Every structure is written in C-alpha cells, then in structure tokens.
Amino acid sequence: MLAGVLLASALALLAGADPAVAHATLVGTLPAADVVIDAVPELVELRFDEAVEVVDDAVRVFGPDGDRVDLADVEVDDGGATLRAPIDGDTEGTYTVAWRVTSEDSHALSGSFVFHVGARTGAADIGDEDNATTEVAGGVGRWLGFAGTFVAVGAAALALAAGRVDERVRRRVRPLAVSGAAVAAVGVLLALVAMVAESAGRGLVDAIDLVPDLAPDTRTGRLALARAGLCLAAAVTAALAAVWRRSVLPTLVLGAASLATASLAGHAWTAPSRGLAVATDVIHLAAVALWIGGLVALLVALPVSTDRSRLAARFSAGAVALVVVVAATGAVSAWEQVRTFDGLTSTTYGQLLLAKVGGFLALVAVGWANRSRLVPLAGRTVAPLARSLRAETAVAGAVLALTAALVHQPPARATAPGPFTTTVAAEPGALGEDPGATDGATLDVTVDPARAGSNDIHLYFLDSGGGPLAVDAVEVSATTTGVPARRLPVTPVTADHVTVAGASLPSPGTWTVAVTAVRAGSPLDFTFEVPIT
C-alpha cells in the first residue's frame, strides 16, 4: 500500500512535465567562445540544452583589465534554458565569462569561456577556487538526510511489524524514529546550504543568508524545503506519544514521502525515461529504508522484545523480499544512469556505483549468514546476532557514504568518454604527381573524448591500397554554428600521421573539420563532421 501511494504521488508530479535531455550542458554562447569580434556586445548569451536554475552572480563578465563589466542582472528565457547578461565595456582585448547554474538534478554546474574584441590579450584571472569545506558539508548533509530518514522509516516499520503484541518494541524504537527524522531534516537543510554556496560561488556561512531568498524561487530549493518539512513532520508525529500509540503509519508515510522528493530532485528526474526512472528510484529508496533502517531498529529493539525469536524471524523474512526489490530496482536505475560498460568503468559515477554494488553484496552475505545461523538462536540468546547486526550496520553506513557521494556526481551517461572515429575519402580534384597513390586516398580520424572542451585529434593518411601515405604538410580548421572557422595547431608524428593536441571544441553540437594535406606540391582535401556532446 505504501509503495502504491508513493508511486502514485510521484507519477502525479510527473504528469505534464517535459522530459529533460540529460545532465544540463552548455550548447552555445553569443559571442561564440574564442571568437574575435569588432566591438563590445551589449550582452552575453548562454544557451543550455535544458532548463537551469540561477542564483546571484550566475553570469560574471570580466574585461581585459580583470574588472567586472556585467551589470549583475541575468535575464532568464526559454523556460530557463537561455541566460542573458547585459554588459558595459568599451576596452579592446579578451573578455572572460564565468557562469554558475544548477541543473534539474540538483547539480551545481560551472564553466567559463572567452571572446576577444579587436585583439587577443589573454583571459583574466577570476580568482575562483574550489571550496573543500562546502563539498564536505554537502556530503555530510546528504549522508545525514538519507541515514536519518532510513532510520525513521525502519523504526516505524518495525513497530508496525511488532504490533500490539510487543508494545515494548514500539516504545523502544519511538525515540529512534524521532531522532532519525530530526537528523534527516538537519541533513537536508545542510545539503541545501552547501548547494546554494556552490551555485553562488559563496562560502558556506555566507550562503546561509541566501537560502531564504533563493531556495523558494527554484525547483531544487522548493523540493529540498519540502523534504525537510516532511522529515520534521515525521519527527513530530513520532514524538507525540498519543499519535505513536494510536498508529505509526503517519511517521512511516511522511518519512517515505520525503524520500520521494529526493527522487524528484535527483538523477532520476533527468534520466532518458523519466517516468520509469523516478518510479524505480522511489521504490528503491523505500525498500532500502525498510531494510537498512529496519536493521538499525532491530538492533535497538531486540534486547527488549517479549518474543525475540518471532521478531527476528519476521524481519529476516521481510529482508529477503526487500533485497530482491533493491537489486531489481537498482539494476534498472543503473542502466538509466550509465548506459554503457565504458561509463561503468571509466567515470567517477560508474566506479562509485561498482563500489556500492560490492558493499551491497557484502550486506547480503552477512544478512544470509544471520538468517541461516544466528536468527534461530535469538530465542535463547541475542548476543551473537547483535554483534553481527552491528557489523552489518557499519557496512550499511559505508555503503550509504558511497551513495551520498554518488548522487553528487554527474551520471555516467553524461560523462562517459566516447572517442569518435571515422574514415573519409579525399575530395575529388587535385591528384598530385602520383595519381596512383592519391586517387582513392583516405583519412582515418580519431577524436578523443569527443566531448565539449579539450580534445585530441589523430589523423592518419592512407593511400588507395590502405597503406601509409606520406604527406608534406597539413592544415586543420574547425567550425560549428555561430563559430567562425579557425585553424588548429598541428603536430607531425610521422610522415603519414599528425595530431592536434588539446583542440578546443568548447560547445556541444556538430563540428565540421576541414583537413588540407599537401603532397608533392598538390593539395588533398578532406572534410568530416564530429558530434561533440
């Protein structure tokens, strides 16, 4: 029944929502990155592939002398996908644009680019530094938010399972539910402050003053406040002895509902199959809460239970079913967020996920040993089972720490490197002095990682038979919509192989690369398109 209520609520919130493409990405700017223009523009425009949220100083523009020239007012258009920042500058040279936004999966994103007025004078030092304190506070807040809610939900569920026949268990776990839900509310608010600090480029203490003004104006902030409110409400219902004695369901439902808001604010919201991803994540979190939170509650309640053997056996039987649900929903969520084997092994998200799976398997192994060897002994002595439950709880805490880190990482589907490769034929025209070699010549291309930013391009020239084709000189240029063609520096490796190390392809989209090779005084022209994500 509880899963059905949560699922229905999540689907209701999904109704009518436009699906997000993925983790938000900057897809274009005006002026274009690294372009040279004649005059200082009136504004700077940034276009994203989905809606983003902005706080103070979302877009900052620095002139050639390092002073800010933006007017501190950012206009939001296209439902949040386009940002425009008016500027007031009149100096020739390089202008540096730094931006910070929050994507719909609660991640703070930032970046910078330059454009040049009249001449290139070098980017300004904008003085941004990573704030380790903010990152640690955010991680601790996420851990407390999940751990506290799991404990509150697990305590309420165990009290429900104990029923009226074991009133001592219900009384014993009530303080656990109160403290768990209260700690969860504190953790959620701490994570919200850290997110605002990261999005605004402020210190943790300074960001506290921004939360009341900024959080209610953003989807992410509203969901975080709602989650904290639900946790506090759960704590209140558990703290009121009369309510708890009558029914533990209010605490159970409120705590679980707070987990649903976490799904709506996380990676599931921006997954390719949003409905499936959110529903799966809600069920996954509810099952984990009942399993891991119930584990902590069992450890606390077992010594006072009037029927320890029955209580341990009921929890063990339920845990088996919950483990199956956790594994199945976790597999679906992993597919939604990773998509490729390369993403599983080569991204931070994928590596943390693998470590989490290892921790899950360790929990299953310990739990199975408890079920087969120690639960049958609970009627006579709880000491061996209690020791094992403490070890299991410690492992669960470590797995939860991995989860807190995981939810703050961009999903692997958005960050997995994917080298682009293609083979193109020479354009008809000049055949050089040796038509047999150049007629039918091809170019093997590798662009790594084929993502916005710095890329390494490898070019291999081949003759009509597929063998190496020596060339004397090579020129490479690249262009995309809104970006004039510009030369890329070429480094010869061998007579038939050249590289472009660290080629700047700063925005996602289709880039057109033109290659001209000179052989025996005659040109060979190649053109290919590279999809940059």
Side-chain angles (χ1 to χ4, degrees), residues 448-456 486 502-508 511 532-533:
D448 188 14
R451 296 194 60 81
S454 179
N455 288 262
D456 293 332
R486 66 176 187 275
S504 176
L505 306 178
S507 60
W511 285 75
I532 298 296
T533 59

Side-chain angles (χ1 to χ4, degrees), residues 243-529:
V243 175
W244 182 265
R245 281 196 302 269
R246 187 177 303 114
S247 175
V248 300
L249 281 177
T251 302
L252 183 60
V253 172
L254 288 167
S258 74
L259 293 175
T261 64
S263 295
L264 294 171
H267 292 144
W269 184 256
T270 58
S273 305
R274 175 182 286 176
L276 173 64
V278 170
T280 300
D281 197 50
V282 167
I283 295 171
H284 181 78
L285 288 176
V288 172
L290 293 172
W291 175 30
I292 301 303
L295 183 72
V296 176
L298 180 65
L299 178 61
V300 171
L302 200 57
V304 303
S305 174
T306 57
D307 192 347
R308 294 177 294 191
S309 180
R310 172 182 172 273
L311 185 64
R314 291 193 69 178
F315 176 81
S316 180
V320 172
L322 290 171
V323 165
V324 174
V325 174
V326 169
T329 54
V332 174
S333 294
W335 166 250
E336 285 290 330
Q337 305 303 336
V338 178
R339 295 280 172 163
T340 65
F341 180 78
D342 192 37
L344 194 63
T345 58
S346 62
T347 66
T348 301
Y349 185 97
Q351 292 160 2
L352 286 171
L353 180 60
L354 288 175
K356 182 181 174 182
V357 170
F360 168 77
L361 294 176
L363 282 173
V364 171
V366 175
W368 187 258
N370 289 344
R371 176 177 173 79
S372 59
R373 295 170 46 204
L374 303 181
V375 169
L377 301 176
R380 298 197 303 272
T381 175
V382 297
L385 181 56
R387 285 195 296 270
S388 184
L389 289 176
R390 281 192 288 270
E392 197 172 352
T393 301
V395 175
V399 173
L400 190 55
L402 291 172
T403 302
L406 188 69
V407 298
H408 195 55
Q409 290 291 325
R413 58 181 161 80
T415 57
F420 169 82
T421 60
T422 188
T423 300
V424 293
E427 298 174 2
L431 300 180
E433 295 182 359
D434 186 359
T438 56
D439 190 10
T442 58
L443 177 67
D444 277 0
V445 178
T446 299
V447 181
D448 188 14
R451 296 194 60 81
S454 179
N455 288 262
D456 293 332
I457 302 175
H458 291 265
L459 305 174
Y460 298 86
F461 297 89
L462 306 174
D463 61 22
S464 56
L469 177 66
V471 295
D472 301 323
V474 178
E475 288 187 358
V476 180
S477 63
T479 184
T480 190
T481 303
V483 178
R486 66 176 187 275
R487 291 266 298 273
L488 301 178
V490 175
T491 301
V493 179
T494 64
D496 63 292
H497 173 205
V498 301
T499 67
V500 180
S504 176
L505 306 178
S507 60
T510 300
W511 285 75
T512 301
V513 180
V515 179
T516 298
V518 177
R519 174 181 167 85
S522 297
L524 282 170
D525 294 319
F526 304 85
T527 302
F528 59 91
E529 293 185 338

Side-chain angles (χ1 to χ4, degrees), residues 156-170 173 301 305 310-311 314:
L158 191 71
L160 187 65
R164 299 295 179 183
V165 299
D166 206 342
E167 192 64 32
R168 295 169 67 180
V169 168
R170 292 168 66 92
V173 299
S305 174
R310 172 182 172 273
L311 185 64
R314 291 193 69 178

Side-chain angles (χ1 to χ4, degrees), residues 45 52 98 126 150 213-214 275 340 368 424 488:
E45 180 178 285
V52 296
I126 59 179
F150 289 172
D213 296 328
L214 300 178
T340 65
W368 187 258
V424 293
L488 301 178

